[in-house]
């Protein structure tokens, strides 16, 4: 068994990339039932009670291991950690900032944590802060990105592997067995998959959001500036027009708080569809079990 599988306790080294706007116990359970590692997105969860409800809903559907993602700045993280430990969740991911304050208690509770990061300098710091593993998110990934220049996984994964001792997971650009095997060849012990699971049968994403992924070709995602961060989104006619105008003030045009409404209704002029560059490889909505079995085949 690899070190990563030992931490996750599942059959395949595939972690569900948490996507806040489609947090679904049903989908988390489906991924765990198929042998991978389902992951609740608790980064913006406002109370321990809410976390308990979500974890309980997954537990009703599966007795397989699953985890939860915590955003480091959430003020109720310590309470959420207690709830997770009581519910038998053994592994979490931490993201968005230094996780140093979370690891002592997390380890006291007998849990393991993988820290999600976007650059080598943070990898070394996270290992020093006690992270048991690292999720390396390359520039091709879906989700929030920093405003700094970033490397893609072909560079970032081997670079980080060369500098840390803990197991590394590659996130970004993985949709099938070719991407999965490439990540392992780069030195990762596993992968984290966001967009491919978003475009699955069990995903609660709207039809419009799934269709936008199916229709997205290479070069049709961009990083949307949102103040001190960016989000990878699928371009659309309105956004393309704005991109041609150097005067466009994106933070006035787009508010990330509107993303859940936009993505569930398909009103992508309100906020463009979030997805990774890997959308270009996704041509069919498939059941989760099929996606996972093909990936590890
Ligand atoms: C629309 C969207 C929203 C995301 N939201 C979150 C989030 O709330 N928390 C988080 O840790 N990662 C988030 N991510 C990142 C994913 O968990 C995952 O790391 C990423 O999608 C991997 O890249 P891929 O899409 O190429 O597979 C998001 C990704 C997407 C596509």
């Amino acid at each position: 068994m690899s070190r990563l599988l030992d931490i996750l306790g599942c059959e395949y080294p595939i972690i569900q990339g948490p996507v806040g706007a489609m947090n679904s116990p049903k989908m988390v359970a489906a991924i765990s039932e198929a042998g991978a590692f389902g992951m609740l997105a608790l980064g913006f969860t406002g109370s321990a009670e809410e976390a308990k409800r979500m974890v309980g809903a997954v537990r009703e559907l599966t007795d397989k291991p699953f985890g939860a993602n915590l955003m480091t700045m959430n003020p109720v993280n310590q309470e959420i950690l207690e709830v997770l430990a009581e519910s038998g969740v053994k592994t979490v991911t931490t993201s968005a900032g230094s996780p140093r304050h979370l690891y002592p208690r997390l380890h006291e509770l007998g849990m393991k944590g993988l820290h999600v990061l976007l650059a080598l300098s943070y990898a070394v710091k996270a290992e020093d802060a006690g992270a048991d593993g690292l999720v390396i998110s390359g520039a091709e990934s879906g989700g929030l990105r920093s405003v700094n220049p970033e490397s893609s996984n072909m560079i970032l994964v081997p670079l980080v592997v060369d500098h840390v001792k803990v197991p590394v997971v590659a996130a970004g650009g993985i949709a099938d067995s070719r991407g999965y095997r490439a990540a392992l060849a780069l030195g990762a012990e596993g992968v984290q998959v966001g967009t491919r699971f978003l475009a699955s049968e069990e995903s609660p994403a709207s039809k419009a959001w799934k269709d936008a992924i199916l229709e997205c070709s290479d070069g049709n995602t961009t990083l949307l500036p949102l103040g001190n961060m960016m989000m990878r989104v699928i371009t659309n006619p309105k956004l393309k027009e704005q991109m041609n105008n150097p005067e466009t003030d994106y933070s006035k045009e787009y508010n990330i708080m509107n993303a859940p409404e936009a993505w569930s209704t398909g009103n992508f002029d309100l906020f463009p569809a979030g997805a990774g560059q890997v959308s270009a490889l996704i041509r069919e909505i498939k059941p989760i079990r099929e996606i996972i079995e093909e990936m590890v085949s």
Side-chain angles (χ1 to χ4, degrees):
M1 185 186 273
S2 77
R3 296 180 299 166
L4 180 69
L5 286 177
D6 203 30
I7 292 175
L8 301 177
C10 59
E11 195 177 344
Y12 304 124
I14 300 172
I15 301 174
Q16 176 187 0
V19 172
M22 55 145 212
N23 213 10
S24 151
K26 204 170 135 207
M27 180 151 161
V28 172
I31 289 175
S32 289
E33 281 291 310
F37 195 72
M39 178 74 72
L40 279 171
L42 300 184
F44 299 105
T45 300
S47 70
E49 291 70 40
E50 194 185 337
K52 194 169 184 168
R53 195 179 49 76
M54 297 294 284
V55 173
V58 181
R59 265 284 164 259
E60 275 182 20
L61 299 170
T62 183
D63 56 5
K64 297 264 169 39
F66 65 93
N69 171 256
L70 308 178
M71 299 269 203
T72 58
M73 67 291 205
N74 188 339
V76 293
N77 275 333
Q78 299 291 348
E79 291 90 323
I80 292 178
L81 275 179
E82 307 293 324
V83 163
L84 293 175
E86 278 165 24
S87 316
V89 171
K90 298 220 164 3
T91 308
V92 298
T93 58
T94 54
S95 54
S98 170
R100 195 170 287 276
H101 60 294
L102 293 174
Y103 278 85
R105 184 66 187 141
L106 188 156
H107 286 149
E108 270 170 24
L109 291 166
M111 301 167 84
K112 301 273 189 199
L114 309 172
H115 190 60
V116 185
L117 43 90
L118 318 182
L120 174 63
S121 55
Y122 299 113
V124 174
K125 284 184 194 152
E127 185 181 45
D128 182 60
D132 303 287
L134 304 174
V135 178
I136 308 303
S137 174
E140 59 274 71
S141 289
L144 286 172
R145 312 295 310 169
S146 74
V147 288
N148 303 323
E150 294 179 345
S151 297
S152 58
N153 275 334
M154 191 75 97
I155 293 108
L156 199 54
V157 172
L159 184 65
V160 172
V161 167
D162 282 347
H163 285 83
V164 300
K165 296 193 181 65
V166 294
V168 163
V169 174
I174 297 146
D176 59 26
S177 61
R178 295 167 299 179
Y180 173 77
R181 282 185 274 138
L184 300 187
L186 293 172
E189 291 188 25
V191 297
Q192 175 163 296
V193 174
T195 305
R196 177 64 271 196
F197 285 146
L198 232 169
S200 68
E201 272 179 16
E202 292 87 341
S203 155
S206 65
K207 182 174 181 310
W209 193 2
K210 291 181 187 178
D211 285 347
I213 292 172
L214 295 182
E215 285 158 20
C216 178
S217 188
D218 62 318
N220 285 352
T221 71
T222 191
L223 291 173
L224 184 68
L226 298 167
N228 61 355
M229 50 190 184
M230 316 244 253
M231 173 163 276
R232 187 165 290 288
V233 297
I234 297 175
T235 53
N236 57 42
K238 179 182 164 192
L239 181 56
K240 277 188 190 152
E241 206 179 300
Q242 290 168 330
M243 286 161 63
N244 285 331
N245 177 2
E247 307 284 303
T248 302
D249 181 347
Y250 295 93
S251 46
K252 280 220 182 96
E253 299 285 340
Y254 298 107
N255 181 344
I256 196 170
M257 302 308 281
N258 291 331
E261 185 195 330
W263 298 348
S264 63
T265 58
N267 180 3
F268 300 127
D269 285 349
L270 179 63
F271 199 98
Q277 286 186 346
V278 76
S279 301
L281 293 177
I282 300 172
R283 296 177 202 111
E284 223 185 307
I285 304 300
K286 291 184 181 173
I288 277 169
R289 191 173 286 277
E290 203 177 300
I291 293 170
I292 292 172
E293 283 174 1
E294 188 280 333
M295 206 171 269
V296 297
S297 63

